[in-house]
Amino acid sequence: MRRLHGITAYITGGSSGIGYAIAAELIRAGARVALLARSEERLVEAEKRLVATGGQVAVTHLSLDVSDREAAERALPGLVDQFGGPDLLVNCHGVTGVYYFSDTSHDDLMRLLSINIGGVWNTIQLLLPELEKRHATIVNVASVAGFVGVLGYSAYSASKFGLIGLSEVLRNELKPRGIRVCVLCPPDTDTPMFRAENVTKPFETKIMSETLPVKSAEYVARAFLRGLKGRKFLIVPGFMGRLTLFVKGVAPRLLFGIVDNDLRKAQKKMARTSGQGESRV
Ligand SMILES: NC(=O)c1ccc[n+]([C@@H]2O[C@H](COP(=O)([O-])OP(=O)(O)OC[C@H]3O[C@@H](n4cnc5c(N)ncnc54)[C@H](OP(=O)(O)O)[C@@H]3O)[C@@H](O)[C@H]2O)c1
């Protein structure tokens, strides 16, 4: 997708964090933007801020839980009628939960799968005729945790590995229908989700990610736009994410060795810390 001026973009999760930053970048490039998320209040606030910065470009919003199939069936046709169908669909909504596997309930897993995969499934399937008509581009937002598994991310990585798998299938299956599919895999990014995750993360996970740079949502959004124009399938913002993907591809045992070594170091630090009587978190 080389020209963004005048296109219509739907962004799920557009009221916050990375989705909001992508919306701002697209508006700057002259796109019309529809924000989709659950909280009406946060959508109205986000729309106001985007209109204030975006000049004359059209922005609208739809309050919708994308994992609710029936609600999506009812609401999406109205958005298409009112605002036009999407040339670009960015599935950027998502929820997280980073705990030890033994503390992660089956309900936690189902919630993450239902939103992080089921929500994407719903928007694509329900908008398919519109996407086909417009030879649209779909971008599903996964994560670096969608191609490397680290302690604490059992449910989240299950959802994001699954999302990359779904995207690979759709890349192939929808290509003959003129629809391009790609995946954005952000690294740790400073958003409300990341801040909330840090409160509950196991100690080892915190230590293991401590040395990695945390990117801003604006950085990720700019990388997203470059990737979109470059027609890549996997868009991985930041050097460390791309290096991880490369090592996983050419030498997966090396990557496992690095991850295991990081965990050993984190466990030693945890033992020292608890030996000093300090809190683990
Ligand atoms: N931040 C990171 O470090 C990081 C790293 C890698 C990947 N990611 C991925 O990037 C995406 C955006 O995350 P973020 O960090 O920007 O999080 P965020 O600031 O918490 O934003 C999440 C957005 O998703 C919406 N949302 C959540 N559940 C929804 C549902 N069922 N239906 C519709 N909208 C829903 C939220 O609005 P409502 O709550 O109002 O619905 C919000 O707009 C997610 O897919 C996340 O997994 C984030």
Side-chain angles (χ1 to χ4, degrees):
M1 179 164 261
R2 299 195 189 278
R3 275 199 70 243
L4 297 171
H5 195 270
I7 66 156
T8 299
Y10 286 14
I11 307 174
T12 69
S15 63
S16 174
I18 297 170
Y20 177 85
I22 288 176
E25 283 296 324
L26 286 172
I27 287 171
R28 217 164 284 138
R32 309 166 69 248
V33 168
L35 312 172
L36 293 85
R38 293 167 300 185
S39 160
E40 173 75 19
E41 197 184 329
R42 293 206 294 158
L43 281 164
V44 169
E45 181 55 35
E47 185 179 330
K48 261 196 220 152
R49 281 194 285 147
L50 288 169
V51 169
T53 55
Q56 301 306 309
V57 183
V59 188
T60 190
H61 73 264
L62 173 67
S63 168
L64 173 68
D65 177 347
V66 291
S67 69
D68 181 338
R69 178 74 182 201
E70 285 176 12
E73 277 171 355
R74 283 195 303 273
L76 287 173
L79 180 62
V80 170
D81 286 348
Q82 171 228 325
F83 200 63
D87 303 293
L88 172 66
L89 169 63
V90 186
N91 277 306
C92 193
H93 68 275
V95 286
T96 187
V98 186
Y99 313 98
Y100 292 110
F101 173 66
S102 42
D103 296 336
T104 306
S105 69
H106 188 262
D107 283 352
D108 291 333
L109 172 67
M110 289 301 127
R111 189 175 77 89
L112 261 68
L113 294 179
S114 161
I115 295 176
N116 294 356
I117 298 188
V120 172
W121 186 284
N122 288 340
T123 59
I124 297 176
Q125 211 164 53
L126 295 172
L127 290 167
L128 203 50
E130 293 299 323
L131 294 163
E132 189 166 8
K133 231 189 273 171
R134 289 172 172 74
H135 300 299
T137 297
I138 299 167
V139 183
N140 295 327
V141 180
S143 172
V144 168
F147 56 79
V148 57
V150 172
L151 181 150
Y153 287 92
S154 51
Y156 186 73
S157 276
S159 74
K160 295 298 186 177
F161 269 71
L163 182 56
I164 294 181
L166 170 65
S167 306
E168 265 191 37
V169 171
L170 296 183
R171 185 204 67 78
N172 184 238
E173 190 165 334
L174 299 183
K175 198 173 186 174
R177 297 170 73 166
I179 299 171
R180 179 187 162 211
V181 178
C182 51
V183 186
L184 174 68
C185 295
D188 282 350
T189 307
D190 185 19
T191 66
M193 173 187 284
F194 180 68
R195 277 168 244 144
E197 190 178 282
N198 273 334
V199 177
T200 64
K201 243 177 208 171
F203 182 90
E204 301 93 312
T205 317
K206 266 190 201 163
I207 299 298
M208 288 164 83
S209 60
E210 211 167 62
T211 51
L212 298 171
V214 177
K215 301 294 185 189
S216 69
E218 292 71 25
Y219 174 93
V220 171
R222 286 193 295 272
F224 160 83
L225 245 67
R226 283 196 299 278
L228 199 60
K229 288 180 180 166
R231 302 193 62 79
K232 288 179 180 170
F233 171 66
L234 274 185
I235 305 169
V236 185
F239 174 74
M240 287 309 288
R242 284 196 295 278
L243 182 65
T244 306
L245 182 66
F246 176 75
V247 176
K248 173 114 191 203
V250 297
R253 284 176 62 184
L254 174 62
L255 184 66
F256 290 149
I258 293 169
V259 172
D260 292 348
N261 192 41
D262 284 353
L263 176 59
R264 269 193 300 275
K265 280 199 234 159
Q267 284 173 324
K268 275 188 194 157
K269 188 164 181 178
M270 186 164 99
R272 280 200 305 276
T273 308
S274 54
Q276 288 161 3
E278 286 177 19
S279 158
R280 280 173 45 169
V281 284

